Amino acid sequence: MNGKFLKIFSAGVLLMIATGAQAQKKEEKKPDNPVKCTNIKDGKFLRANYPEAIWHMTIKDNVQTEYFNNGKDYIKSTLVFVDDCHYKSIVIEKSDKNDPAQIGDVFNNTVVATQDNLLKINTKIEGDQFDMVYIKVK
């Protein structure tokens, strides 16, 4: 029984060493500290694993426009910044009458983390909340 234990223990140690060596090769990037909240105030944004034709967003002069369906459909919102990291987006216009977002809907957003050109936003509306990760491309 001791020989079997020794083999299992040795295999476990080798696995830990190999995993540790591999982890050291990949230097993990850390989130920005402090969070670069102002990155959300202007630019063009994509979402990971979403082709630009399916969804992209622009923000300029406190107006956020989300484009869908190869840019044929959009939702336009006005942005009201409470501070650099907290803002409300209020839907003011939309092209697709079937989209569940309604004119006047208010989304409360918080920039919770940034890293290089990535922004993690927590969004709340009527008791629901979800996180989105945007990639700033411009």
Side-chain angles (χ1 to χ4, degrees):
M1 186 158 155
N2 284 344
K4 187 175 181 183
F5 173 78
L6 186 59
K7 284 180 185 174
I8 292 171
F9 178 77
S10 297
V13 169
L14 283 173
L15 182 63
M16 283 182 4
I17 291 170
T19 305
Q22 193 175 16
Q24 286 176 355
K25 285 180 194 169
K26 278 195 245 168
E27 191 175 316
E28 226 177 275
K29 296 206 74 167
K30 294 192 181 335
D32 298 326
N33 187 6
V35 177
K36 295 178 182 169
C37 296
T38 57
N39 285 354
I40 194 67
K41 290 189 173 190
D42 187 74
K44 180 177 181 178
F45 302 85
L46 303 176
R47 288 203 332 237
N49 303 320
Y50 271 66
E52 186 175 337
I54 292 177
W55 183 94
H56 71 276
M57 174 176 77
T58 60
I59 297 177
K60 184 161 180 61
D61 299 327
N62 290 335
V63 175
Q64 168 182 298
T65 307
E66 297 177 69
Y67 296 94
F68 311 89
N69 192 17
N70 283 320
K72 293 179 188 130
D73 292 312
Y74 66 89
I75 296 176
K76 193 176 281 191
S77 303
T78 187
L79 302 183
V80 178
F81 283 87
V82 178
D83 59 38
D84 282 345
C85 295
H86 300 87
Y87 65 98
K88 297 176 185 295
S89 51
I90 304 162
V91 178
I92 56 173
E93 194 178 316
K94 68 178 196 167
S95 63
D96 182 358
K97 305 296 180 226
N98 296 322
D99 191 285
Q102 296 299 312
I103 292 173
D105 281 354
V106 178
F107 295 83
N108 292 290
N109 306 287
T110 303
V111 181
V112 291
T114 59
Q115 180 183 318
D116 299 329
N117 65 335
L118 300 175
L119 296 95
K120 183 177 182 180
I121 310 292
N122 177 267
T123 299
K124 295 178 183 171
I125 182 169
E126 295 179 4
D128 288 334
Q129 69 173 320
F130 47 93
D131 289 332
M132 303 272 246
V133 175
Y134 297 136
I135 304 162
K136 186 171 185 171
V137 293
K138 281 188 189 173

